[in-house]
Amino acid sequence: MLPLELIRKDPDRVRRAAELKGEPAPIDEILKLDKEWREHLHKAETIKEEQNKLSREFAKTRDEALKDRLRQMADVAKQEMAQAEAVKRELDDLLLRVPNLFHESVPIGMTEADNVVVREWGGKPELGFTARTHYDLGEALGIMDFERAARVSGSRFAFLVGDGARLERALAQFMLDVHTREHGYKEVMPPALVNSASLVGTANLPKFGADLYKVEGQDLWLIPTAEVPLTNFHREEILDGHVLPLKYVAYSHCFRSEAGAAGKDTRGFIRLHHFSKVELVKVTTPEQSMEEFEQLLADAETILQRLGLHYQVMLMCTGDMGFAQYKKYDLNVWCPGLDRYLEISSCSVFNDFQAMRANIRYRPAPGAPPKFTHTINGSGVAMRVIDPLLETYQRSDGMVTVPDVLKPYMGGIELIGAR
RNA sequence: GGGGAGGUGGCUGAGCGGCCGAAAGCACCCGCCUGCUAAGCGGGUAGGGGGUGUAAAGCUCCCUCGAGGGUUCGAAUCCCUCCCUUCCCGCCA
């Protein structure tokens, strides 16, 4: 969330940023409630001060008349405080609904048409035959099963079977190895269920609860991404400045209701209710965050490069970047069969927006007052990289070559579909 | 799930209803002393919020001893509910 102080001082800046993001921001209401809150608080505190003084006096004098007066003061103070708290609760809830500002390098725009391709790697592969989609290939090879998944679970679910399942395991292993051994991330196996405070911390709540699966009757939710448990790993902590930046990587399953996506991407291994990915999260100082963000993006790109997949780096415009992000890149990988780019990773920097919500702080130097950290995350990468992978490495006979970097993880298999 | 013990500052750990935002130790910071290192001496260091201040500093007040309620003029301390940790038993991959 944004500091209340900033909204007080420069409401127009916040309002403008929200508008450019296409997000409503209840600024006027916040300013009004802020004033009300402080009035009640001030009144309560003034009475409290007097009451505390007189109460100390009473301890000495035991004057019964004073006791009556004190009782009345306590009542009034309690009332004022209760009102202040009620207003503050309303205020806090509104504050959680104000979108983040954005970095000056973010292009202004409302739709994805205003996003900017900042670079490309590789080129579209020349297959020399008509490319098939990953779901055609996957079903024909018996490594993807959507029909049975629909029966067992419903639409937007998939089975990976045989070498398909093996491929997912190989990819996870490969990515984790690269990030832990070469990029310095610490591997984490996080819980897949988290409480609502954690979801507020990463800004999934209170606004986006409809996108999440909730456990009935309990304060537990299925994670939509490992970003949630990883970022909240240090919630309510004050870290030593010298441990920053902290870098975590987790392979996890992710669950999304896809409430707003009716009819979109219903075919294939694309927009599932349950999928998995490798997630990168960094906790940094404000000074480090933009550089660490670019590095995290590069770390994700490494994976795609080693897999030999053509991709572009897309800088998201204000209207397409989301509520909480300060700056965001998507990595879009070319899928010859689908004949389009598919988002395989999304990397974002949040400034202190999440850290304020999750109350993640650090002490810049011994004895110095704590400051909010910055947080960064990105997929490194999503397991649906399987789609461009199958489509890129397919052969005219319908079999799929295993990319070199995955061979050590595939138990000697070089060709999916052979025999 | 049943029973016991416990949650206090960056950490360890004391705490009588008012003299407690809190002893002591560790750690850290500043200074002094000592020809290195170590030791010694003195001082300092919780978080959040309001007001004042152009701002930093400062001053001042309020709140916070797991969370939320209650009793009381006054609660870390007494009562209730919840959460978490830990031990024993049960169940379990």
Side-chain angles (χ1 to χ4, degrees):
Chain A
M1 70 186 163
L2 299 176
L4 184 51
E5 209 178 327
L6 173 70
I7 299 177
R8 268 181 214 153
K9 265 194 213 148
D10 200 352
D12 289 336
R13 179 171 170 216
V14 178
R15 225 187 311 256
R16 191 180 124 80
E19 248 165 57
L20 290 171
K21 276 193 161 191
E23 299 273 354
I27 302 300
D28 293 329
E29 224 176 325
I30 285 173
L31 292 173
K32 180 178 145 260
L33 289 175
D34 177 43
K35 197 167 162 244
E36 257 176 62
W37 165 58
R38 285 192 285 174
E39 280 168 5
H40 286 299
L41 187 63
H42 190 73
K43 228 181 261 180
E45 286 186 351
T46 309
I47 297 169
K48 260 289 193 188
E49 183 184 354
E50 186 69 11
Q51 188 198 340
N52 287 343
K53 253 183 232 158
L54 294 178
S55 190
R56 275 191 291 270
E57 209 169 288
F58 173 81
K60 291 179 210 150
T61 64
R62 302 281 159 181
D63 176 358
E64 285 300 312
L66 192 53
K67 188 166 167 178
D68 286 342
R69 198 174 144 210
L70 278 167
R71 193 178 291 133
Q72 284 172 22
M73 288 178 79
D75 283 348
V76 179
K78 219 172 266 185
Q79 274 174 34
E80 283 296 332
M81 195 51 91
Q83 283 184 62
E85 275 166 14
V87 174
K88 187 60 161 54
R89 263 195 298 278
E90 219 177 313
L91 178 59
D92 285 341
D93 182 68
L94 288 182
L95 275 175
L96 291 175
R97 293 164 191 277
V98 177
N100 198 359
L101 305 174
F102 53 84
H103 190 255
E104 58 195 11
S105 62
V106 171
I108 307 291
M110 277 335 271
T111 70
E112 58 180 26
D114 299 311
N115 297 338
V116 175
V117 176
V118 294
R119 64 175 168 270
E120 286 190 290
W121 189 90
K124 296 179 184 174
E126 294 297 334
L127 295 179
F129 56 91
T130 306
R132 298 168 69 184
T133 62
H134 66 275
Y135 48 86
D136 272 355
L137 289 163
E139 283 177 329
L141 290 166
I143 62 171
M144 283 181 176
D145 194 328
F146 299 99
E147 215 177 301
R148 289 194 173 95
R151 195 181 332 131
V152 170
S153 300
S155 68
R156 296 192 186 280
F157 287 93
F159 277 101
L160 289 174
V161 179
D163 287 343
R166 179 82 194 242
L167 184 58
E168 141 119 19
R169 181 154 59 91
L171 275 165
Q173 197 94 308
F174 162 64
M175 293 189 248
L176 287 169
D177 281 351
V178 171
H179 293 312
T180 55
R181 291 176 187 169
E182 298 178 37
H183 298 154
Y185 291 80
K186 179 174 278 183
E187 184 171 346
V188 175
M189 179 70 219
L193 289 160
V194 296
N195 57 31
S196 47
S198 294
L199 288 158
V200 170
T202 37
N204 300 89
L205 289 178
K207 277 199 81 174
F208 307 103
D211 300 334
L212 305 168
Y213 287 110
K214 185 175 190 323
V215 176
E216 207 176 323
Q218 294 188 52
D219 183 33
L220 284 174
W221 308 66
L222 285 164
I223 56 170
T225 156
E227 167 198 348
V228 180
L230 286 185
T231 304
N232 280 280
F233 190 63
H234 291 295
R235 178 149 60 83
E236 309 286 347
E237 288 185 25
I238 300 175
L239 302 159
D240 279 335
H242 70 262
V243 306
L244 303 178
L246 290 165
K247 301 159 74 169
Y248 297 110
V249 57
Y251 167 69
S252 89
H253 290 250
C254 307
F255 306 87
R256 298 184 183 180
S257 74
E258 298 296 345
K264 258 183 244 170
D265 298 321
T266 48
R267 288 228 57 186
F269 198 76
I270 296 183
R271 198 188 285 244
L272 303 173
H273 287 309
H274 170 201
F275 62 96
S276 67
K277 66 182 163 66
V278 167
E279 181 76 4
L280 307 171
V281 165
K282 287 186 181 182
V283 180
T284 75
T285 67
E287 293 75 25
Q288 297 164 334
S289 64
M290 289 316 279
E291 198 185 323
E292 289 293 336
F293 173 49
E294 295 293 333
Q295 187 55 52
L296 181 140
L297 174 70
D299 293 340
E301 288 184 63
T302 300
I303 299 294
L304 300 178
Q305 291 169 9
R306 301 256 178 107
L307 289 172
L309 298 172
H310 164 54
Y311 67 89
Q312 51 182 215
V313 181
M314 181 88 88
L315 175 58
M316 311 302 281
C317 73
T318 55
D320 206 26
M321 69 189 289
F323 172 82
Q325 287 82 358
Y326 188 65
K327 184 174 181 178
K328 172 173 156 184
Y329 293 108
D330 276 1
L331 293 178
N332 298 327
V333 181
W334 179 249
C335 296
L338 295 174
D339 195 31
R340 66 175 174 102
Y341 287 94
L342 185 64
E343 180 200 319
I344 296 299
S345 171
S346 186
C347 300
S348 307
V349 60
F350 296 86
N351 263 13
D352 56 3
F353 191 80
Q354 288 183 326
M356 280 189 73
R357 293 170 158 249
N359 198 20
I360 307 169
R361 291 172 294 172
Y362 75 103
R363 219 175 277 283
K371 289 173 69 177
F372 287 109
T373 64
H374 280 197
T375 57
I376 301 164
N377 72 58
S379 3
V381 296
M383 214 45 80
R384 72 179 180 195
V385 73
I386 273 180
D387 305 350
L389 197 139
L390 292 180
E391 295 185 12
T392 300
Y393 285 90
Q394 65 180 306
R395 310 198 313 186
S396 57
D397 61 6
M399 294 195 267
V400 175
T401 310
V402 174
D404 285 342
V405 290
L406 291 183
K407 280 176 186 162
Y409 297 100
M410 286 295 284
I413 299 169
E414 305 222 336
L415 197 57
I416 296 175
R419 135 177 74 117

